[in-house]
Amino acid sequence: MEASLGIRMDEPMAFSPQRDQVQADGSVKKHEQNFKLSGVKKDIEKLYEAVPQLGNLFKIKDKIGEGTFSSVYLATAQLQVGPEEKIALKHLIPTSHPIRIAAELQCLTVAGGQDNVMGVKYCFRKNDHVVIAMPYLEHESFLDILNSLSFQEVREYMFNLFRALKRIHQFGIVHRDVKPSNFLYNRRLKKYALVDFGLAQGTHDTKIELLKLVHSEAQQESCPQNKSHVITGNKISLSGPAAPKELDQHPTVKTVKRPYTNAQSQIKQGKDGKEGSVGLSVQRSVFGERNFNIHSSISHESPAVKLMKQSKTVDVLSRKLAPKKKAISSKVMTSGVMRKTASSCPASLTCDCYATDKVCSICLSRRQQVAPRAGTPGFRAPEVLTKCPNQTTAIDMWSAGVIFLSLLSGRYPFYKASDDLTALAQIMTIRGSRETIQAAKTFGKSILCSKEIPAQDLRKLCEKLRGIDSNTLTLTSDVQGPAARDPAFSEKTDHNVSHVIQQTPEAQHPGNSLHKDSNGCGGSLNTDTISLEGWNEVPDEAYDLLDKLLDLNPASRITAEEALLHPFFKDMSL
Ligand code: ADP
Ligand code: MG
Ligand code: ZN
């Protein structure tokens, strides 16, 4: 079957995530495009070959997403009488674990199809190739629209995200990868869909049967690489050992997430935070979307946090790997409070290396703590970053809070950290180091931090980042507005930005990254042409909700159900 191909889809490109790539501004770019096009064409041909039954039903038009674990295609289908339907075909990499695939599918079939949770139409399999066919939702690139959204649109966006989260949390699904590229948004139609259950896990009482078999990656990694699992549609039969056995105690740093995946070697750094929805050939970054990386204590130039896990090797390794460059250093340890959960922990918390930069023999003999750490560092809750073994649906609410932070501040990604410790340091810079340490105690982690960082006022922070003068509540016309794609925090700049954020506006010196010297030069923003669209009167309820989402303590963090009832959404109904 001939696949008709073209960068342009049938619809105008306004909603296409690939718009950036269409702008041909030279022959080099054109050449690149042609190259990508032929790459896409080849991929489509390969997919028809791998799963021939697709050819009977679909015309595959384009590749719309490519990550480490899947490629997503736009196809059209003549499924019933009537017009052609647009379908998204998600081709999972053949090395994905069969239980993982079946669990993803079960989340979509059981919880999906309503309340802004993506549903599924069909699933195809041939040999180890699985393709999930879903209704196609044309959607925006978050980055492209971030700074043009009205305040009312932001309210609607968040409300609809909470609807989806309430739905999946009712089923005992922890999504674990809540972020804009997994929450599709069609601005024109006001349609929303939570997608990608590829990292989902079940709560202890989950209603998704297969999620009961999906444990943390730490447990998964001990699952034997046994290809005798057979998956056919929704059915799964296991001829290997059914339950993953206890985590074994490899003294080396593990880089395994999905046991059937050997993709690490070919993963390239994704670009500009639009992973998942852009790039015909951009691959998901190791540290970006799905983090394989378990050793996470490499110190960066930015405020670095040291996560002293009770694992055996992590810090030893990182010390070998990384030169010491400390801005803020801290350590995280499992404290005695959680000894029951972290059962392998020796009885005494205070060992030879407590509060030092070493790992003592007591700690070396501790077993690696089993805790899931999937997701993207910048969206990870503090309990995920510190490897708390007891993780709940509250982790998704934290991620929703980080999205809200982007929407209110106009910056995406808000936190850009390649590892958990940097991410933790960045959280501390906003939420305060003492507060973070205090909260971590409640879930059994003790964090050591070399410097005290005060918590920020969320309103002031967001207004400053958005470029709104908090005194006059107008767009500061002498401000060179920061680009949406500048993260509020990044590996290279977070030191500067945190410095800026910590200062009062009066104390800010000219020439920093946010404010231009007010001597009349600069000023590319024009208050006449840029509508404030409600941004000059953001109610306190918005920041109250943000504060409750970014609650460092998962036990008191607001739930999706509660969030929907928050005064911020007072005139909105389900
Ligand atoms: P991955 O596990 O590789 O991240 P996702 O399920 O998140 O896969 O899909 C990757 C991308 O493909 C999404 O970010 C989105 O841009 C696109 N996509 C996925 N499902 C759909 C769909 N049903 N309709 C439209 N686009 C989709
Ligand atoms: Mg995704
Ligand atoms: Zn020790």
Side-chain angles (χ1 to χ4, degrees), residues 92-136:
L92 300 157
I93 57 156
T95 48
S96 298
H97 195 294
I99 295 178
R100 191 65 265 181
I101 295 174
E104 176 168 359
L105 195 55
Q106 202 169 51
C107 290
L108 290 164
T109 52
V110 177
Q114 56 177 292
D115 289 341
N116 303 327
V117 181
M118 182 52 74
V120 76
K121 282 193 171 277
Y122 301 98
C123 184
F124 303 89
R125 183 189 74 89
K126 190 182 179 213
N127 301 325
D128 50 0
H129 291 272
V130 176
V131 173
I132 301 174
M134 299 167 275
Y136 173 75

mmCIF file of all heavy atoms in Angstrom, residues 92-136:
data_model
loop_
_atom_site.group_PDB
_atom_site.id
_atom_site.type_symbol
_atom_site.label_atom_id
_atom_site.label_comp_id
_atom_site.label_asym_id
_atom_site.label_seq_id
_atom_site.Cartn_x
_atom_site.Cartn_y
_atom_site.Cartn_z
ATOM 1 N N LEU A 92 4.558 0.715 19.742
ATOM 2 C CA LEU A 92 5.445 0.583 20.904
ATOM 3 C C LEU A 92 6.714 -0.139 20.494
ATOM 4 O O LEU A 92 6.679 -1.031 19.636
ATOM 5 C CB LEU A 92 4.719 -0.194 22.004
ATOM 6 C CG LEU A 92 3.432 0.501 22.463
ATOM 7 C CD1 LEU A 92 2.471 -0.466 23.089
ATOM 8 C CD2 LEU A 92 3.767 1.627 23.427
ATOM 9 N N ILE A 93 7.806 0.261 21.064
ATOM 10 C CA ILE A 93 9.032 -0.412 20.632
ATOM 11 C C ILE A 93 8.956 -1.889 21.008
ATOM 12 O O ILE A 93 8.489 -2.254 22.086
ATOM 13 C CB ILE A 93 10.329 0.216 21.194
ATOM 14 C CG1 ILE A 93 10.327 0.245 22.712
ATOM 15 C CG2 ILE A 93 10.646 1.553 20.587
ATOM 16 C CD1 ILE A 93 11.729 0.280 23.273
ATOM 17 N N PRO A 94 9.389 -2.719 20.087
ATOM 18 C CA PRO A 94 9.252 -4.160 20.275
ATOM 19 C C PRO A 94 9.962 -4.680 21.527
ATOM 20 O O PRO A 94 9.661 -5.762 21.996
ATOM 21 C CB PRO A 94 9.876 -4.745 19.010
ATOM 22 C CG PRO A 94 9.850 -3.643 18.018
ATOM 23 C CD PRO A 94 9.971 -2.374 18.790
ATOM 24 N N THR A 95 10.892 -3.887 22.051
ATOM 25 C CA THR A 95 11.613 -4.364 23.233
ATOM 26 C C THR A 95 10.883 -4.044 24.534
ATOM 27 O O THR A 95 11.354 -4.396 25.597
ATOM 28 C CB THR A 95 13.018 -3.741 23.274
ATOM 29 O OG1 THR A 95 12.877 -2.340 23.047
ATOM 30 C CG2 THR A 95 13.917 -4.346 22.223
ATOM 31 N N SER A 96 9.732 -3.374 24.448
ATOM 32 C CA SER A 96 8.976 -3.087 25.667
ATOM 33 C C SER A 96 8.526 -4.384 26.329
ATOM 34 O O SER A 96 8.222 -5.369 25.657
ATOM 35 C CB SER A 96 7.727 -2.265 25.349
ATOM 36 O OG SER A 96 8.080 -1.028 24.799
ATOM 37 N N HIS A 97 8.457 -4.347 27.628
ATOM 38 C CA HIS A 97 8.021 -5.537 28.349
ATOM 39 C C HIS A 97 6.539 -5.811 28.066
ATOM 40 O O HIS A 97 5.724 -4.898 28.121
ATOM 41 C CB HIS A 97 8.232 -5.314 29.846
ATOM 42 C CG HIS A 97 8.155 -6.585 30.629
ATOM 43 N ND1 HIS A 97 6.996 -7.302 30.747
ATOM 44 C CD2 HIS A 97 9.101 -7.257 31.315
ATOM 45 C CE1 HIS A 97 7.230 -8.370 31.495
ATOM 46 N NE2 HIS A 97 8.506 -8.365 31.846
ATOM 47 N N PRO A 98 6.198 -7.051 27.755
ATOM 48 C CA PRO A 98 4.805 -7.359 27.418
ATOM 49 C C PRO A 98 3.804 -6.963 28.510
ATOM 50 O O PRO A 98 2.706 -6.514 28.195
ATOM 51 C CB PRO A 98 4.811 -8.877 27.236
ATOM 52 C CG PRO A 98 6.210 -9.239 26.964
ATOM 53 C CD PRO A 98 7.078 -8.224 27.643
ATOM 54 N N ILE A 99 4.183 -7.115 29.749
ATOM 55 C CA ILE A 99 3.252 -6.729 30.821
ATOM 56 C C ILE A 99 3.060 -5.221 30.812
ATOM 57 O O ILE A 99 1.966 -4.705 31.005
ATOM 58 C CB ILE A 99 3.767 -7.195 32.196
ATOM 59 C CG1 ILE A 99 3.793 -8.726 32.244
ATOM 60 C CG2 ILE A 99 2.884 -6.661 33.326
ATOM 61 C CD1 ILE A 99 4.333 -9.280 33.547
ATOM 62 N N ARG A 100 4.149 -4.535 30.563
ATOM 63 C CA ARG A 100 4.115 -3.081 30.500
ATOM 64 C C ARG A 100 3.151 -2.627 29.393
ATOM 65 O O ARG A 100 2.304 -1.765 29.583
ATOM 66 C CB ARG A 100 5.553 -2.607 30.225
ATOM 67 C CG ARG A 100 5.911 -1.183 30.335
ATOM 68 C CD ARG A 100 5.800 -0.610 31.693
ATOM 69 N NE ARG A 100 4.496 0.033 31.832
ATOM 70 C CZ ARG A 100 4.092 0.665 32.923
ATOM 71 N NH1 ARG A 100 4.863 0.717 33.988
ATOM 72 N NH2 ARG A 100 2.907 1.225 32.963
ATOM 73 N N ILE A 101 3.280 -3.254 28.249
ATOM 74 C CA ILE A 101 2.416 -2.913 27.116
ATOM 75 C C ILE A 101 0.954 -3.200 27.450
ATOM 76 O O ILE A 101 0.068 -2.387 27.241
ATOM 77 C CB ILE A 101 2.818 -3.716 25.858
ATOM 78 C CG1 ILE A 101 4.225 -3.307 25.405
ATOM 79 C CG2 ILE A 101 1.809 -3.526 24.740
ATOM 80 C CD1 ILE A 101 4.766 -4.153 24.256
ATOM 81 N N ALA A 102 0.737 -4.377 28.004
ATOM 82 C CA ALA A 102 -0.642 -4.764 28.318
ATOM 83 C C ALA A 102 -1.240 -3.851 29.380
ATOM 84 O O ALA A 102 -2.424 -3.518 29.331
ATOM 85 C CB ALA A 102 -0.667 -6.222 28.781
ATOM 86 N N ALA A 103 -0.409 -3.420 30.325
ATOM 87 C CA ALA A 103 -0.898 -2.530 31.380
ATOM 88 C C ALA A 103 -1.254 -1.164 30.797
ATOM 89 O O ALA A 103 -2.276 -0.574 31.152
ATOM 90 C CB ALA A 103 0.153 -2.386 32.483
ATOM 91 N N GLU A 104 -0.424 -0.670 29.890
ATOM 92 C CA GLU A 104 -0.714 0.617 29.241
ATOM 93 C C GLU A 104 -2.056 0.554 28.522
ATOM 94 O O GLU A 104 -2.895 1.441 28.634
ATOM 95 C CB GLU A 104 0.418 0.968 28.258
ATOM 96 C CG GLU A 104 0.151 2.239 27.469
ATOM 97 C CD GLU A 104 1.368 2.768 26.691
ATOM 98 O OE1 GLU A 104 2.451 2.148 26.771
ATOM 99 O OE2 GLU A 104 1.207 3.792 26.007
ATOM 100 N N LEU A 105 -2.227 -0.555 27.825
ATOM 101 C CA LEU A 105 -3.464 -0.748 27.080
ATOM 102 C C LEU A 105 -4.668 -0.842 28.017
ATOM 103 O O LEU A 105 -5.732 -0.278 27.757
ATOM 104 C CB LEU A 105 -3.314 -2.032 26.254
ATOM 105 C CG LEU A 105 -4.306 -2.292 25.142
ATOM 106 C CD1 LEU A 105 -4.344 -1.120 24.174
ATOM 107 C CD2 LEU A 105 -3.913 -3.575 24.417
ATOM 108 N N GLN A 106 -4.479 -1.536 29.109
ATOM 109 C CA GLN A 106 -5.592 -1.705 30.043
ATOM 110 C C GLN A 106 -5.990 -0.372 30.703
ATOM 111 O O GLN A 106 -7.173 -0.126 30.934
ATOM 112 C CB GLN A 106 -5.239 -2.745 31.112
ATOM 113 C CG GLN A 106 -6.476 -3.340 31.754
ATOM 114 C CD GLN A 106 -6.147 -4.547 32.604
ATOM 115 O OE1 GLN A 106 -5.263 -4.494 33.450
ATOM 116 N NE2 GLN A 106 -6.843 -5.648 32.378
ATOM 117 N N CYS A 107 -5.016 0.475 30.968
ATOM 118 C CA CYS A 107 -5.341 1.809 31.507
ATOM 119 C C CYS A 107 -6.240 2.549 30.522
ATOM 120 O O CYS A 107 -7.242 3.153 30.909
ATOM 121 C CB CYS A 107 -4.074 2.626 31.740
ATOM 122 S SG CYS A 107 -3.061 2.052 33.103
ATOM 123 N N LEU A 108 -5.876 2.489 29.245
ATOM 124 C CA LEU A 108 -6.645 3.200 28.218
ATOM 125 C C LEU A 108 -8.034 2.600 28.047
ATOM 126 O O LEU A 108 -9.017 3.321 27.901
ATOM 127 C CB LEU A 108 -5.908 3.142 26.875
ATOM 128 C CG LEU A 108 -4.609 3.942 26.734
ATOM 129 C CD1 LEU A 108 -3.822 3.485 25.514
ATOM 130 C CD2 LEU A 108 -4.899 5.438 26.635
ATOM 131 N N THR A 109 -8.117 1.279 28.077
ATOM 132 C CA THR A 109 -9.412 0.653 27.815
ATOM 133 C C THR A 109 -10.342 0.759 29.021
ATOM 134 O O THR A 109 -11.538 0.937 28.863
ATOM 135 C CB THR A 109 -9.270 -0.841 27.419
ATOM 136 O OG1 THR A 109 -8.467 -1.492 28.404
ATOM 137 C CG2 THR A 109 -8.616 -1.002 26.077
ATOM 138 N N VAL A 110 -9.794 0.661 30.219
ATOM 139 C CA VAL A 110 -10.646 0.673 31.404
ATOM 140 C C VAL A 110 -10.967 2.096 31.862
ATOM 141 O O VAL A 110 -12.121 2.427 32.108
ATOM 142 C CB VAL A 110 -10.011 -0.157 32.560
ATOM 143 C CG1 VAL A 110 -10.864 -0.083 33.819
ATOM 144 C CG2 VAL A 110 -9.824 -1.603 32.127
ATOM 145 N N ALA A 111 -9.953 2.925 31.968
ATOM 146 C CA ALA A 111 -10.194 4.282 32.490
ATOM 147 C C ALA A 111 -10.403 5.305 31.379
ATOM 148 O O ALA A 111 -10.941 6.381 31.618
ATOM 149 C CB ALA A 111 -9.022 4.716 33.372
ATOM 150 N N GLY A 112 -9.976 4.976 30.172
ATOM 151 C CA GLY A 112 -9.999 5.959 29.087
ATOM 152 C C GLY A 112 -11.342 6.087 28.394
ATOM 153 O O GLY A 112 -12.286 5.351 28.674
ATOM 154 N N GLY A 113 -11.403 7.065 27.498
ATOM 155 C CA GLY A 113 -12.607 7.254 26.703
ATOM 156 C C GLY A 113 -13.571 8.260 27.296
ATOM 157 O O GLY A 113 -14.574 8.596 26.677
ATOM 158 N N GLN A 114 -13.297 8.732 28.497
ATOM 159 C CA GLN A 114 -14.130 9.802 29.061
ATOM 160 C C GLN A 114 -13.340 10.657 30.034
ATOM 161 O O GLN A 114 -12.234 10.301 30.423
ATOM 162 C CB GLN A 114 -15.385 9.229 29.719
ATOM 163 C CG GLN A 114 -15.137 8.206 30.787
ATOM 164 C CD GLN A 114 -16.437 7.755 31.433
ATOM 165 O OE1 GLN A 114 -17.091 8.527 32.120
ATOM 166 N NE2 GLN A 114 -16.817 6.518 31.197
ATOM 167 N N ASP A 115 -13.968 11.758 30.402
ATOM 168 C CA ASP A 115 -13.332 12.703 31.339
ATOM 169 C C ASP A 115 -11.901 13.067 30.941
ATOM 170 O O ASP A 115 -10.993 13.091 31.783
ATOM 171 C CB ASP A 115 -13.333 12.127 32.772
ATOM 172 C CG ASP A 115 -14.723 12.119 33.371
ATOM 173 O OD1 ASP A 115 -15.588 12.851 32.862
ATOM 174 O OD2 ASP A 115 -14.937 11.370 34.333
ATOM 175 N N ASN A 116 -11.706 13.345 29.685
ATOM 176 C CA ASN A 116 -10.401 13.814 29.208
ATOM 177 C C ASN A 116 -9.284 12.784 29.332
ATOM 178 O O ASN A 116 -8.109 13.144 29.376
ATOM 179 C CB ASN A 116 -9.959 15.098 29.923
ATOM 180 C CG ASN A 116 -10.950 16.220 29.777
ATOM 181 O OD1 ASN A 116 -11.617 16.327 28.754
ATOM 182 N ND2 ASN A 116 -11.058 17.050 30.803
ATOM 183 N N VAL A 117 -9.648 11.539 29.395
ATOM 184 C CA VAL A 117 -8.626 10.487 29.362
ATOM 185 C C VAL A 117 -8.746 9.803 28.003
ATOM 186 O O VAL A 117 -9.846 9.394 27.607
ATOM 187 C CB VAL A 117 -8.805 9.462 30.503
ATOM 188 C CG1 VAL A 117 -7.706 8.404 30.441
ATOM 189 C CG2 VAL A 117 -8.811 10.157 31.856
ATOM 190 N N MET A 118 -7.650 9.728 27.290
ATOM 191 C CA MET A 118 -7.649 9.147 25.949
ATOM 192 C C MET A 118 -8.166 7.708 25.987
ATOM 193 O O MET A 118 -7.841 6.945 26.885
ATOM 194 C CB MET A 118 -6.222 9.187 25.390
ATOM 195 C CG MET A 118 -6.062 8.649 23.980
ATOM 196 S SD MET A 118 -7.182 9.352 22.763
ATOM 197 C CE MET A 118 -6.484 10.988 22.529
ATOM 198 N N GLY A 119 -8.978 7.387 25.008
ATOM 199 C CA GLY A 119 -9.482 6.024 24.901
ATOM 200 C C GLY A 119 -8.737 5.278 23.808
ATOM 201 O O GLY A 119 -7.776 5.784 23.232
ATOM 202 N N VAL A 120 -9.199 4.071 23.555
ATOM 203 C CA VAL A 120 -8.524 3.268 22.547
ATOM 204 C C VAL A 120 -9.565 2.666 21.612
ATOM 205 O O VAL A 120 -10.702 2.399 22.023
ATOM 206 C CB VAL A 120 -7.652 2.192 23.259
ATOM 207 C CG1 VAL A 120 -8.475 1.074 23.808
ATOM 208 C CG2 VAL A 120 -6.576 1.671 22.360
ATOM 209 N N LYS A 121 -9.220 2.556 20.353
ATOM 210 C CA LYS A 121 -10.158 1.983 19.389
ATOM 211 C C LYS A 121 -9.829 0.527 19.092
ATOM 212 O O LYS A 121 -10.680 -0.341 19.124
ATOM 213 C CB LYS A 121 -10.121 2.787 18.089
ATOM 214 C CG LYS A 121 -10.908 4.084 18.183
ATOM 215 C CD LYS A 121 -11.106 4.680 16.801
ATOM 216 C CE LYS A 121 -12.069 5.849 16.814
ATOM 217 N NZ LYS A 121 -13.482 5.453 16.756
ATOM 218 N N TYR A 122 -8.584 0.305 18.776
ATOM 219 C CA TYR A 122 -8.140 -1.045 18.450
ATOM 220 C C TYR A 122 -6.739 -1.243 18.953
ATOM 221 O O TYR A 122 -6.023 -0.279 19.236
ATOM 222 C CB TYR A 122 -8.083 -1.276 16.926
ATOM 223 C CG TYR A 122 -9.373 -1.077 16.218
ATOM 224 C CD1 TYR A 122 -9.640 0.131 15.585
ATOM 225 C CD2 TYR A 122 -10.312 -2.106 16.165
ATOM 226 C CE1 TYR A 122 -10.839 0.335 14.921
ATOM 227 C CE2 TYR A 122 -11.511 -1.915 15.498
ATOM 228 C CZ TYR A 122 -11.767 -0.704 14.883
ATOM 229 O OH TYR A 122 -12.936 -0.510 14.226
ATOM 230 N N CYS A 123 -6.355 -2.494 18.985
ATOM 231 C CA CYS A 123 -4.956 -2.773 19.222
ATOM 232 C C CYS A 123 -4.537 -3.886 18.272
ATOM 233 O O CYS A 123 -5.307 -4.824 18.025
ATOM 234 C CB CYS A 123 -4.744 -3.197 20.672
ATOM 235 S SG CYS A 123 -3.011 -3.431 21.042
ATOM 236 N N PHE A 124 -3.394 -3.733 17.681
ATOM 237 C CA PHE A 124 -2.905 -4.722 16.720
ATOM 238 C C PHE A 124 -1.588 -5.300 17.202
ATOM 239 O O PHE A 124 -0.777 -4.590 17.805
ATOM 240 C CB PHE A 124 -2.675 -4.069 15.348
ATOM 241 C CG PHE A 124 -3.905 -3.417 14.798
ATOM 242 C CD1 PHE A 124 -4.191 -2.087 15.104
ATOM 243 C CD2 PHE A 124 -4.783 -4.128 14.015
ATOM 244 C CE1 PHE A 124 -5.337 -1.482 14.611
ATOM 245 C CE2 PHE A 124 -5.937 -3.529 13.516
ATOM 246 C CZ PHE A 124 -6.212 -2.197 13.810
ATOM 247 N N ARG A 125 -1.409 -6.552 16.919
ATOM 248 C CA ARG A 125 -0.124 -7.139 17.256
ATOM 249 C C ARG A 125 0.311 -8.103 16.176
ATOM 250 O O ARG A 125 -0.509 -8.846 15.624
ATOM 251 C CB ARG A 125 -0.200 -7.895 18.588
ATOM 252 C CG ARG A 125 1.144 -8.477 19.017
ATOM 253 C CD ARG A 125 0.997 -9.392 20.214
ATOM 254 N NE ARG A 125 0.382 -10.656 19.831
ATOM 255 C CZ ARG A 125 1.062 -11.721 19.417
ATOM 256 N NH1 ARG A 125 2.386 -11.669 19.317
ATOM 257 N NH2 ARG A 125 0.435 -12.827 19.108
ATOM 258 N N LYS A 126 1.551 -8.023 15.852
ATOM 259 C CA LYS A 126 2.145 -9.117 15.090
ATOM 260 C C LYS A 126 3.523 -9.365 15.667
ATOM 261 O O LYS A 126 4.341 -8.442 15.748
ATOM 262 C CB LYS A 126 2.229 -8.784 13.601
ATOM 263 C CG LYS A 126 2.610 -10.047 12.837
ATOM 264 C CD LYS A 126 2.778 -9.850 11.370
ATOM 265 C CE LYS A 126 3.175 -11.197 10.753
ATOM 266 N NZ LYS A 126 4.074 -10.992 9.621
ATOM 267 N N ASN A 127 3.742 -10.574 16.055
ATOM 268 C CA ASN A 127 4.978 -10.928 16.760
ATOM 269 C C ASN A 127 5.193 -9.959 17.920
ATOM 270 O O ASN A 127 4.291 -9.768 18.717
ATOM 271 C CB ASN A 127 6.163 -10.969 15.797
ATOM 272 C CG ASN A 127 5.923 -11.986 14.679
ATOM 273 O OD1 ASN A 127 5.297 -13.025 14.940
ATOM 274 N ND2 ASN A 127 6.376 -11.704 13.482
ATOM 275 N N ASP A 128 6.340 -9.321 17.956
ATOM 276 C CA ASP A 128 6.540 -8.427 19.106
ATOM 277 C C ASP A 128 6.179 -6.974 18.804
ATOM 278 O O ASP A 128 6.500 -6.078 19.568
ATOM 279 C CB ASP A 128 7.968 -8.542 19.650
ATOM 280 C CG ASP A 128 9.017 -8.426 18.554
ATOM 281 O OD1 ASP A 128 8.622 -8.256 17.379
ATOM 282 O OD2 ASP A 128 10.210 -8.494 18.878
ATOM 283 N N HIS A 129 5.521 -6.743 17.704
ATOM 284 C CA HIS A 129 5.087 -5.379 17.380
ATOM 285 C C HIS A 129 3.652 -5.142 17.843
ATOM 286 O O HIS A 129 2.756 -5.900 17.491
ATOM 287 C CB HIS A 129 5.169 -5.129 15.872
ATOM 288 C CG HIS A 129 6.577 -5.082 15.379
ATOM 289 N ND1 HIS A 129 7.320 -3.925 15.372
ATOM 290 C CD2 HIS A 129 7.390 -6.066 14.908
ATOM 291 C CE1 HIS A 129 8.537 -4.194 14.912
ATOM 292 N NE2 HIS A 129 8.603 -5.481 14.621
ATOM 293 N N VAL A 130 3.474 -4.109 18.634
ATOM 294 C CA VAL A 130 2.135 -3.769 19.110
ATOM 295 C C VAL A 130 1.814 -2.337 18.682
ATOM 296 O O VAL A 130 2.641 -1.434 18.832
ATOM 297 C CB VAL A 130 2.036 -3.894 20.646
ATOM 298 C CG1 VAL A 130 0.668 -3.444 21.152
ATOM 299 C CG2 VAL A 130 2.318 -5.333 21.086
ATOM 300 N N VAL A 131 0.628 -2.163 18.143
ATOM 301 C CA VAL A 131 0.180 -0.828 17.729
ATOM 302 C C VAL A 131 -1.172 -0.541 18.382
ATOM 303 O O VAL A 131 -2.118 -1.317 18.244
ATOM 304 C CB VAL A 131 0.058 -0.728 16.186
ATOM 305 C CG1 VAL A 131 -0.565 0.606 15.781
ATOM 306 C CG2 VAL A 131 1.424 -0.887 15.525
ATOM 307 N N ILE A 132 -1.226 0.561 19.102
ATOM 308 C CA ILE A 132 -2.480 0.980 19.730
ATOM 309 C C ILE A 132 -3.111 2.060 18.865
ATOM 310 O O ILE A 132 -2.465 3.067 18.551
ATOM 311 C CB ILE A 132 -2.228 1.537 21.154
ATOM 312 C CG1 ILE A 132 -1.564 0.476 22.035
ATOM 313 C CG2 ILE A 132 -3.525 2.026 21.783
ATOM 314 C CD1 ILE A 132 -1.143 0.991 23.418
ATOM 315 N N ALA A 133 -4.351 1.837 18.444
ATOM 316 C CA ALA A 133 -5.058 2.828 17.622
ATOM 317 C C ALA A 133 -6.007 3.626 18.503
ATOM 318 O O ALA A 133 -6.863 3.063 19.177
ATOM 319 C CB ALA A 133 -5.828 2.133 16.501
ATOM 320 N N MET A 134 -5.803 4.941 18.496
ATOM 321 C CA MET A 134 -6.613 5.824 19.343
ATOM 322 C C MET A 134 -7.262 6.895 18.479
ATOM 323 O O MET A 134 -6.752 7.218 17.409
ATOM 324 C CB MET A 134 -5.704 6.565 20.350
ATOM 325 C CG MET A 134 -4.952 5.714 21.305
ATOM 326 S SD MET A 134 -3.658 6.689 22.137
ATOM 327 C CE MET A 134 -2.312 6.573 20.958
ATOM 328 N N PRO A 135 -8.342 7.476 18.958
ATOM 329 C CA PRO A 135 -8.866 8.655 18.246
ATOM 330 C C PRO A 135 -7.781 9.722 18.220
ATOM 331 O O PRO A 135 -7.072 9.898 19.213
ATOM 332 C CB PRO A 135 -10.038 9.123 19.119
ATOM 333 C CG PRO A 135 -10.294 8.048 20.109
ATOM 334 C CD PRO A 135 -9.071 7.198 20.204
ATOM 335 N N TYR A 136 -7.649 10.389 17.094
ATOM 336 C CA TYR A 136 -6.602 11.413 16.981
ATOM 337 C C TYR A 136 -7.123 12.737 17.518
ATOM 338 O O TYR A 136 -8.206 13.170 17.154
ATOM 339 C CB TYR A 136 -6.207 11.567 15.504
ATOM 340 C CG TYR A 136 -5.252 12.697 15.246
ATOM 341 C CD1 TYR A 136 -3.912 12.582 15.592
ATOM 342 C CD2 TYR A 136 -5.687 13.878 14.658
ATOM 343 C CE1 TYR A 136 -3.025 13.627 15.353
ATOM 344 C CE2 TYR A 136 -4.811 14.928 14.413
ATOM 345 C CZ TYR A 136 -3.482 14.795 14.769
ATOM 346 O OH TYR A 136 -2.614 15.817 14.539
#
